[in-house]
């Protein structure tokens, strides 16, 4: 499997989390109180899977290879995508910082939560679209078969470090638990 296909497959899981976050945002806007646990599970998934695992592959493996290969020609797009990753991290920090107040039904904390949910969801959806439909296509055109193979091997090594199938199963379980909490089920 090509490196870009691996990243796109991971995007599908991240988009599932974004759908849940979007539903949560709508419920809060309609004055429904969701369990704090929903957001705690979302933060675990988004920080561990999306940021530490997935974004690591993009930023340090793929972006690094392309930056070296093209001698600065990819600096603009890579810089923009890295900036978007940083903004997402900042939104996650703000979401985390607002949770105790939100759980206590503090209006200011709830507003901060909604504001950062909206920013995070919008930014990451756009980011994924840019990668899947623009950046990955450019990357595929630039990478030789040998470089593509090297990148795929590096991605597989990262998967193995995290426990491969077990890691994916744990994160799918987190997504299922988030959905259950959204539906008012006990987890």
């Amino acid at each position: 499997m090509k490196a870009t296909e691996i990243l796109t497959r991971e995007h599908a899981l991240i988009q599932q989390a974004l759908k849940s976050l979007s539903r949560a945002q709508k419920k809060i806007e309609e004055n429904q109180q969701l369990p704090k646990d929903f957001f705690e599970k979302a933060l675990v998934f988004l920080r561990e899977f999306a940021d530490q695992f997935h974004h690591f592959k993009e930023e340090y493996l793929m972006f690094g290879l392309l930056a070296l290969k093209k001698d600065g020609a990819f600096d603009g797009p890579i810089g923009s995508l890295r900036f978007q990753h940083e903004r997402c991290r900042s939104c996650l920090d703000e979401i985390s910082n607002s949770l105790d107040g939100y759980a206590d039904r503090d209006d200011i904390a709830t507003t901060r939560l909604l504001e950062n949910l909206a920013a995070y969801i919008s930014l990451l959806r756009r980011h994924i679209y840019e990668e899947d439909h623009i950046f990955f296509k450019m990357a595929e055109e630039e990478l030789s078969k040998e470089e593509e193979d090297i990148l795929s091997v590096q991605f597989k090594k990262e998967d193995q470090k995290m426990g491969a199938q077990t890691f994916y199963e744990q994160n799918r379980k987190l997504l299922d638990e988030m959905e259950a909490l959204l539906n008012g089920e006990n987890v």
Side-chain angles (χ1 to χ4, degrees), residues 5-70:
E5 291 170 347
I6 293 168
L7 294 173
T8 300
R9 187 185 72 203
E10 292 171 3
H11 281 166
L13 284 178
I14 296 166
Q15 287 174 322
Q16 187 177 339
L18 293 176
K19 276 175 91 172
S20 292
L21 286 176
S22 186
R23 284 186 55 215
Q25 176 187 352
K26 184 171 174 37
K27 285 179 178 262
I28 295 169
E29 289 168 349
E30 294 170 352
N31 217 25
Q32 296 178 43
Q33 186 77 13
L34 295 172
K36 181 180 173 186
D37 194 32
F38 168 84
F39 295 104
E40 290 168 339
K41 288 179 184 303
L43 286 168
V44 168
F45 175 84
L46 295 167
R47 285 182 168 152
E48 291 179 5
F49 185 84
D51 192 37
Q52 293 171 7
F53 179 69
H54 174 78
H55 289 166
F56 175 83
K57 288 178 184 175
E58 291 176 343
E59 287 187 40
Y60 295 100
L61 301 178
M62 178 180 273
F63 294 176
L65 177 63
L66 287 167
L68 288 173
K69 179 177 171 87
K70 293 306 284 182

Side-chain angles (χ1 to χ4, degrees), residues 3-4 7 55-79 81-82 85 130-132 134-152 154-155:
T4 53
L7 294 173
H55 289 166
F56 175 83
K57 288 178 184 175
E58 291 176 343
E59 287 187 40
Y60 295 100
L61 301 178
M62 178 180 273
F63 294 176
L65 177 63
L66 287 167
L68 288 173
K69 179 177 171 87
K70 293 306 284 182
D71 197 32
F74 273 84
D75 287 356
I78 288 171
L81 294 171
R82 281 190 169 145
H85 287 171
E130 285 180 20
E131 286 181 340
D132 286 351
I134 301 166
F135 188 80
F136 291 169
K137 289 182 185 340
M138 290 183 343
E140 287 173 354
E141 290 173 8
E142 295 300 326
L143 294 172
S144 69
K145 170 74 171 119
E146 181 180 86
E147 291 166 329
E148 178 63 47
D149 291 344
I150 290 168
L151 200 53
S152 292
Q154 289 177 320
F155 281 13

Side-chain angles (χ1 to χ4, degrees), residues 90-107:
S90 178
C91 288
L92 292 178
D93 289 343
E94 289 298 321
I95 289 167
S96 179
N97 292 337
S98 68
L99 286 185
D100 286 338
Y102 166 76
D104 292 337
R105 299 180 186 271
D106 177 279
D107 285 339

Side-chain angles (χ1 to χ4, degrees), residues 165-178:
Q165 192 58 33
T166 304
F167 181 69
Y168 280 96
E169 288 170 12
Q170 289 169 340
N171 281 284
R172 283 187 189 97
K173 183 177 183 224
L174 273 173
L175 293 172
D176 290 343
E177 290 172 356
M178 289 167 56

